[in-house]
Amino acid sequence: MKLPLILTAILASMTLPPAEVSLADSTIRAGYRASNVIGEEVRNKQGKDLGTIEDLALDRNGSVAYAVLSFGGFLGMGDKYFAVPWNALMWTDDRKLVIDVTEDRLHTMPGFDKDEWPDLTDREWALRVHEFYAVPYPSVWDPMQTRAIDALNRHAHFSARQGYLVGGAGQTGNSMRYDGSMIWEGPSYAVVDVNPQDDTGMVMGIVRSHGHTYTVVMASFEGHADFMDGGIATNLLLHGTTEQGGPIIPKVNAYVAGWGTATVFRDDDVLYKQFPAHFMLTEGVRDESTHKIHFVAPERLKVLMEVTENGSLSKEVAEPVKDNIKQSRRYVNPHTMQLHIVAHSKARNEKNLPPFDQFIHFMFDDVSLERTQGSQPNAPQAAKQ
């Protein structure tokens, strides 16, 4: 049955995404009421008109969680509704709503009977829907925390403590250490201050351990894949089976992430200069007490990664490993955050995990977001130019 979350009367008074949003500026310039959005047509990125918004669903914080679409007689889908995550919708500069789904994939969209609504708060159902649209399933935060997360789309400024180096100083062969071994802890601090709109800013992490102070500084951002959004991206899924980042950790929601180059120092000396690097603010992946990650055994994972390169692995061998990677998602903690800062050499070494000659991995368990007042929860963000 329909949930009480579907409250059109309440939604009618809510301020929703802007009537005019340029591709370079996603700040709110004018308000839309729910009555303006319900009945709006939705199209895909190829310009194909797909369907109409019939209703909107709220989450427990009062933010819009889903747009409920109908597709009329399109491809025989007229007897169903489709709950599209609100963060999968985008506003164009001509005030049109767009979802990133091709016509070929429409028939595989998860839908439901118009008279038998699913429990939209069911986590397993929601994870399947969000995975289809390749957008994160939002964690349950208090309203203030939700605003701070949403504000990362415009200006990601936060700090972190309780840091350590995973696998030491970067030449240990296995730099993932899923078993929680070789974790170099010590006094630590990190700060991230980046602008996702123009791919600028700075990331710095410091850990004092084993008689040395290790510092990583990242100030240049450039994306070489679409999901990197030019260098700094927000609100995306990474790793696991997403094919957005290697399959070296479970699939995680990344609230903000950036790719580019970094320099790593040991005390006053340059340890690694202008290495390829990235940072991610994600859900909790590594246990804060044991430092373990519940994941695939390194030996099996390395086999999968090697054959991904040359395509020689049989399906019978690959599928069980991929299934284990998918199952590891259930051990990710959506109620905590961790900051990862990684730098590695260009030179590869297939005996290592990940397969680079040097790989240094800073992690921070205690993340403090900037508490930004007045941000608009779950407003669809305009694409960069």
Side-chain angles (χ1 to χ4, degrees):
M1 67 177 189
K2 283 193 178 182
L3 298 179
L5 295 175
I6 314 301
L7 301 173
T8 304
I10 294 176
L11 284 165
S13 64
M14 292 181 60
T15 299
L16 291 176
E20 294 184 3
V21 180
S22 74
L23 293 179
D25 183 4
S26 62
T27 57
I28 295 173
R29 298 181 179 179
Y32 257 13
R33 295 179 301 172
S35 57
N36 296 128
V37 177
I38 294 172
E40 280 288 302
E41 292 185 352
V42 177
R43 63 190 185 191
N44 62 12
K45 285 189 173 181
Q46 290 72 42
K48 177 73 175 181
D49 290 331
L50 301 180
T52 303
I53 294 181
E54 299 290 342
D55 214 332
L56 299 174
L58 300 179
D59 62 20
R60 290 187 176 92
N61 291 330
S63 301
V64 180
Y66 299 95
V68 180
L69 274 66
S70 66
F71 289 92
F74 190 65
L75 293 181
M77 300 164 72
D79 58 340
K80 288 186 176 183
Y81 278 163
F82 300 83
V84 177
W86 190 239
N87 54 348
L89 288 162
M90 296 168 284
W91 294 93
T92 66
D93 54 353
D94 59 349
R95 295 184 291 183
K96 298 294 184 182
L97 283 166
V98 172
I99 54 175
D100 188 9
V101 58
T102 63
E103 193 171 333
D104 291 340
R105 292 192 69 214
L106 279 174
H107 69 282
T108 65
M109 290 175 65
F112 55 91
D113 190 276
K114 291 180 178 180
D115 298 321
E116 295 184 19
W117 287 53
D119 179 358
L120 302 185
T121 65
D122 178 73
R123 177 177 169 80
E124 292 301 317
W125 176 87
L127 283 172
R128 290 195 298 271
V129 172
H130 282 74
E131 181 175 353
F132 178 87
Y133 295 100
V135 294
Y137 174 60
S139 304
V140 180
W141 302 101
D142 61 81
M144 185 68 79
Q145 184 83 329
T146 299
R147 294 190 195 97
I149 292 171
D150 292 331
L152 297 173
N153 292 299
R154 298 181 295 279
H155 179 203
H157 186 194
F158 56 92
S159 60
R161 295 173 176 81
Q162 198 174 320
Y164 44 92
L165 303 185
V166 180
Q171 292 181 309
T172 60
N174 178 356
S175 296
M176 295 309 299
R177 300 289 168 171
Y178 302 122
D179 62 358
S181 64
M182 192 166 281
I183 301 295
W184 288 14
E185 300 179 83
S188 55
Y189 183 74
V191 61
V192 174
D193 190 351
V194 298
N195 185 343
Q197 299 301 315
D198 61 11
D199 304 307
T200 60
M202 183 271 294
V203 175
M204 182 178 70
I206 302 172
V207 177
R208 173 77 180 173
S209 187
H210 287 62
H212 296 286
T213 299
Y214 294 88
T215 306
V216 59
V217 178
M218 187 176 181
S220 176
F221 301 92
E222 183 178 2
H224 55 80
D226 288 344
F227 71 88
M228 298 177 182
D229 202 14
I232 300 173
T234 59
N235 194 36
L236 71 164
L237 291 166
L238 294 176
H239 296 292
T241 54
T242 66
E243 298 184 358
Q244 298 186 158
I248 57 174
I249 60 173
K251 181 192 301 181
V252 291
N253 292 342
Y255 305 102
V256 60
W259 295 263
T261 57
T263 296
V264 181
F265 299 85
R266 181 169 57 198
D267 302 323
D268 295 329
D269 300 322
V270 174
L271 185 63
Y272 305 123
K273 185 176 181 180
Q274 292 299 295
F275 268 18
H278 67 273
F279 79 90
M280 305 182 297
L281 177 64
T282 72
E283 303 167 291
V285 177
R286 194 174 291 271
D287 187 278
E288 293 183 20
S289 300
T290 66
H291 301 306
K292 294 181 179 180
I293 296 180
H294 192 284
F295 201 53
V296 180
E299 294 74 20
R300 297 183 71 206
L301 184 61
K302 285 172 68 175
V303 170
L304 179 64
M305 295 176 70
E306 288 172 6
V307 299
T308 300
E309 297 288 331
N310 57 39
S312 63
L313 188 65
S314 68
K315 183 177 180 180
E316 290 73 17
V317 177
E319 289 306 316
V321 181
K322 291 180 179 179
D323 286 342
N324 288 159
I325 292 175
K326 290 179 181 178
Q327 293 168 14
S328 68
R329 166 68 188 169
R330 72 182 65 178
Y331 297 97
V332 172
N333 186 346
H335 306 302
T336 61
M337 287 183 173
Q338 290 178 326
L339 173 63
H340 316 244
I341 308 175
V342 169
H344 61 81
S345 62
K346 293 181 180 179
R348 296 175 63 89
N349 185 337
E350 302 302 330
K351 295 181 180 180
N352 293 343
L353 184 69
F356 298 100
D357 204 29
Q358 292 93 30
F359 187 97
I360 189 163
H361 188 176
F362 289 62
M363 277 199 69
F364 298 85
D365 289 333
D366 184 4
V367 177
S368 299
L369 295 184
E370 219 177 33
R371 298 286 180 153
T372 302
Q373 298 289 339
S375 59
Q376 175 70 23
N378 295 332
Q381 299 298 310
K384 296 176 187 175
Q385 285 182 324

